[in-house]
Amino acid sequence: MNEAQILDFVKSCGHVLLSSVDEQGFPHTRAMLAPRKNDGLQHFWHSTNTSSSKVTQLRKNPKACLYFFDPQQFIGVEIIGTMTVLEDQASKDLIWRTGDELFYPLGKTDPDYCVLKFTGQVVRVYANFTSQSIVLQQNI
Amino acid sequence: MNEAQILDFVKSCGHVLLSSVDEQGFPHTRAMLAPRKNDGLQHFWHSTNTSSSKVTQLRKNPKACLYFFDPQQFIGVEIIGTMTVLEDQASKDLIWRTGDELFYPLGKTDPDYCVLKFTGQVVRVYANFTSQSIVLQQNI
């Protein structure tokens, strides 16, 4: 798969697995809805609750992994990188969608609403019993 | 969900996400087929290739996470614990299945075939926008 095909696959997934590392060094994984926005394979934006355990973990240790997986084809795309927790209003406005009040009752300015911005470094694709790696150019 | 319901859910999943931590401290996640064997929610056995990157990571750092997820119901069960890489023949015989020659051409004694035994410590269940945690009794 080339980068365009990998990106098409990633964008076809309805959810993504986000992994972080806690203070004791244990990895933690949880499903998230598909990213709200992306810039190629390098940057992904998600909304989440500021009070969630993932935010606590990622503020202390930004090392993270996004894993996009289709169980039918058994294709997985892992992206290793770092996560930044953003609470500025411009970032919060950027990915807000109508209906998000379900999760953040106070709206766009809800202090329990924040943005996770992921910056990828290395992509690894697992398909047909083989894997390939791509180091992403760092356009910060 | 009580422990029996969580176990039923886990056993209904056709795959599981295994996360480990590399030497640089980054979490890594990949899909595995459903465990070959389990003992409640505390122990799970998988087969894998001895030469795989997950085995390299888990030998150096046994801290691991299993995540069972159903995207239709958006229910996730995370189990945090440690992974042991087993290469003794009794363990390799224990979970061998006909057809495994596809992955390990030399059969049950293939040096590239090994067993991952997971020991869980804490279970976290995410369902209906809420989460609950269960600390597992340590019956080693």
Side-chain angles (χ1 to χ4, degrees), chain B residues 5-61:
Chain B
Q5 290 169 320
I6 297 168
L7 188 56
D8 282 345
F9 171 80
V10 159
K11 294 179 86 165
S12 75
C13 294
H15 68 274
V16 59
L17 289 311
L18 164 63
S19 298
S20 54
V21 180
D22 72 14
E23 282 188 276
Q24 285 71 46
F26 285 94
H28 287 261
T29 299
R30 76 285 283 167
M32 307 270 290
L33 292 171
R36 282 288 165 90
K37 176 177 156 67
N38 73 291
D39 177 10
L41 289 168
Q42 190 165 36
H43 294 296
F44 293 87
W45 286 258
H46 283 93
S47 67
T48 196
N49 290 95
T50 316
S51 58
S52 63
S53 64
K54 72 178 86 59
V55 168
T56 304
Q57 287 169 17
L58 290 163
R59 282 195 209 272
K60 289 181 179 159
N61 183 351

Side-chain angles (χ1 to χ4, degrees), chain A residues 18-23 30 53-66 79-86 116-121, chain B residues 24-27:
Chain A
L18 164 62
S19 297
S20 55
V21 180
D22 71 16
E23 282 188 278
R30 76 287 282 168
S53 65
K54 73 176 86 62
V55 168
T56 304
Q57 287 169 16
L58 290 163
R59 281 193 209 272
K60 288 181 179 159
N61 183 351
K63 291 177 178 173
C65 164
L66 294 183
I79 313 179
I80 299 302
T82 54
M83 193 74 89
T84 309
V85 179
L86 298 172
L116 297 177
K117 181 183 176 187
F118 181 79
T119 301
Q121 295 174 8
Chain B
Q24 285 71 46
F26 285 94

Side-chain angles (χ1 to χ4, degrees), chain B residues 42-97:
Chain B
Q42 190 165 36
H43 294 296
F44 293 87
W45 286 258
H46 283 93
S47 67
T48 196
N49 290 95
T50 316
S51 58
S52 63
S53 64
K54 72 178 86 59
V55 168
T56 304
Q57 287 169 17
L58 290 163
R59 282 195 209 272
K60 289 181 179 159
N61 183 351
K63 291 176 178 173
C65 164
L66 294 182
Y67 186 69
F68 298 88
F69 176 62
D70 175 358
Q72 268 70 49
Q73 302 178 84
F74 224 87
I75 294 176
V77 170
E78 178 199 62
I79 312 179
I80 299 301
T82 55
M83 192 73 90
T84 310
V85 180
L86 299 171
E87 293 187 88
D88 63 284
Q89 196 55 48
S91 297
K92 292 170 73 157
D93 290 348
L94 182 71
I95 64 165
W96 180 266
R97 283 189 195 161

